[in-house]
Amino acid sequence: MNQDTLPFVGIDDFAFKKRMTYGTVLIDLLTHKPLDMLNSREHEQVAAWLSARPEIKLITRDGSKSYAKAVREASHEIVQATDRWHILHQLFDSVKKAVYAHIPAKWIPDSLDETITEKTDREDPLRKSEKIRMENEDKRWARIQQVQALSAQGFQAMAIARELGISRGTVYSDLRQTRKPNHQRGSPYEKYRPLIHSLVKKGQTAKMIEEQCRTEGYTGSMTTLNTMIAKERKKIERKGKEAFSFRQKILSLIWNPDNKDSLDEIAELHPELLTAFPLITKFNELVHSFRELVKSKKDQQLPAWIERQKSIEDKFIRSFINGICQDLDAVTLGIRELWSNGPVEGQVNRLKTIKRMMYGRAGFDVLRNRFLYQW
């Protein structure tokens, strides 16, 4: 890339009001000075600004599809480069979501399955609603027995009703009862309880249990399912060690760029960990191979790397790969060249300082003048 050709421009958005209104800043990548500020980040306004400046040869940006579209509309001669930091940040987010999706917060190794037994020596504390239900059942059963005893003594229904202060319909209903009433409502989802029980024993998260139950035909609410999961967890008692919480540690070991023996250190956390979660090995290879590719600027190896990683069966990783494929030319150039959006991020931070100095009350013209002021 001929760095004597001007200008090389970096572009990024900023918030006038977070999650509400946004603007755009454009920075000269050679001087690190601001070129302009726009009061929108919509591609139409950005494309119009770029079209008026045909001397622009290169744009660095994050993964914004809006800015990519604006550059294409302005000129097909402008080269686009995706910022490396943003690419790595997207990779980290994808791997984090994948690790958290596949590894439960509390993991019970298979070797400890034999130590898991149902509570048979004591009952779980009853919830308040359960206590009230049982008390009402006892009261009604006592009244039914009293009604039936008076009837056996020869009292008529009207007399029993007057004696106990109830209606004749209630008397007739009580006389038909042959067993203690049960006020507990039945659930059409009881057939999923064995499946839930087995998944809880394996240490599955509520989200993973929901996905499995939905696959088996469960159509109820997540609230009902959470109640069933909670009950099954209360029925299970493990003896011995506490459940393991490895997700954050695994992510840290995988992402550490200086750690060449991350799989060995993960295996040291627990000997069954890599066997129980084989995707950890693939996540580790994904991260280290991509970081090495970026560090050594081997952009020509990117297509082969993408083909290798397509075999990973995870929606978050697939989303990351698809994002690279959709913006392949910009990502390739971002890996190959030295340009980055660092100067732009610095100017965005400076803009935030200016906004704070004016207590966020400055209009666009004042804010733009202060941002473009050449010191």
Side-chain angles (χ1 to χ4, degrees), residues 20-257:
M20 298 284 291
T21 54
Y22 289 82
T24 298
V25 295
L26 299 109
I27 308 300
D28 188 322
L29 294 178
L30 290 181
T31 64
H32 296 184
K33 301 291 185 180
L35 294 172
D36 206 347
M37 175 196 290
L38 308 180
N39 63 354
S40 172
R41 62 176 178 181
E42 299 300 324
H43 72 275
E44 295 89 354
Q45 287 85 340
V46 177
W49 189 93
L50 294 173
S51 298
R53 293 160 179 81
E55 69 274 15
I56 295 177
K57 303 299 180 183
L58 176 139
I59 291 280
T60 63
R61 56 172 174 79
D62 57 15
S64 171
K65 294 181 180 180
S66 177
Y67 288 149
K69 182 178 180 181
V71 176
R72 288 195 301 269
E73 288 184 0
S75 172
H76 289 288
E77 300 299 321
I78 299 178
V79 178
Q80 300 186 53
T82 303
D83 182 63
R84 288 181 296 278
W85 183 90
H86 284 92
I87 300 173
L88 292 173
H89 183 65
Q90 292 167 8
L91 174 61
F92 175 80
D93 284 344
S94 300
V95 172
K96 180 179 179 179
K97 291 175 181 177
V99 168
Y100 276 52
H102 291 278
I103 303 175
K106 297 293 184 180
W107 173 58
I108 304 173
D110 290 340
S111 61
L112 296 179
D113 278 353
E114 298 300 321
T115 69
I116 302 176
T117 58
E118 292 192 9
K119 295 182 179 180
T120 56
D121 54 340
R122 68 178 186 273
E123 295 183 354
D124 292 330
L126 292 175
R127 299 166 68 179
K128 183 178 179 180
S129 59
E130 290 292 303
K131 291 181 179 179
I132 294 175
R133 178 183 63 79
M134 295 176 67
E135 289 173 0
N136 290 336
E137 289 175 356
D138 291 336
K139 289 178 181 178
R140 186 182 172 196
W141 181 234
R143 190 196 69 217
I144 290 171
Q145 291 176 316
Q146 190 176 4
V147 167
Q148 293 179 354
L150 290 173
S151 178
Q153 295 173 17
F155 286 87
Q156 298 298 317
M158 183 61 74
I160 296 174
R162 284 197 300 266
E163 177 68 21
L164 300 180
I166 57 179
S167 68
R168 280 193 303 170
T170 301
V171 173
Y172 292 134
S173 175
D174 289 350
L175 290 174
R176 291 192 296 269
Q177 292 290 333
T178 58
R179 65 184 67 180
K180 184 178 179 179
N182 184 356
H183 295 170
Q184 188 172 19
R185 293 185 298 175
S187 171
Y189 306 116
E190 284 297 313
K191 61 182 179 180
Y192 298 102
R193 196 172 290 278
L195 173 62
I196 294 172
H197 183 85
S198 64
L199 295 176
V200 169
K201 287 182 68 174
K202 292 179 181 179
Q204 300 289 318
T205 64
K207 184 66 176 176
M208 297 165 74
I209 294 174
E210 181 194 11
E211 293 176 355
Q212 185 64 32
C213 289
R214 298 284 184 195
T215 302
E216 298 296 326
Y218 177 81
T219 58
S221 68
M222 192 59 198
T223 301
T224 301
L225 186 60
N226 279 334
T227 301
M228 297 173 70
I229 292 172
K231 287 184 178 180
E232 291 308 309
R233 282 176 175 160
K234 286 183 179 179
K235 290 180 181 178
I236 295 175
E237 180 181 27
R238 281 200 319 109
K239 296 180 181 179
K241 298 180 180 179
E242 292 292 327
F244 297 103
S245 300
F246 287 144
R247 292 197 304 197
Q248 187 62 41
K249 185 63 176 177
I250 290 171
L251 182 64
S252 176
L253 291 173
I254 289 177
W255 190 253
N256 186 352

Side-chain angles (χ1 to χ4, degrees), residues 241-301:
K241 298 180 180 179
E242 292 292 327
F244 297 103
S245 300
F246 287 144
R247 292 197 304 197
Q248 187 62 41
K249 185 63 176 177
I250 290 171
L251 182 64
S252 176
L253 291 173
I254 289 177
W255 190 253
N256 186 352
D258 300 323
N259 192 352
K260 304 301 182 183
D261 304 313
S262 51
L263 286 180
D264 293 337
E265 294 190 26
I266 290 173
E268 290 176 1
L269 297 176
H270 194 280
E272 297 181 23
L273 197 54
L274 293 177
T275 304
F277 305 104
L279 279 177
I280 292 177
T281 303
K282 294 186 177 182
F283 294 158
N284 183 74
E285 195 278 331
L286 167 85
V287 169
H288 285 276
S289 60
F290 188 77
R291 296 189 75 149
E292 178 59 29
L293 188 150
V294 173
K295 181 180 179 181
S296 58
K297 298 190 177 301
K298 297 178 180 178
D299 58 285
Q300 69 278 6
Q301 298 181 6

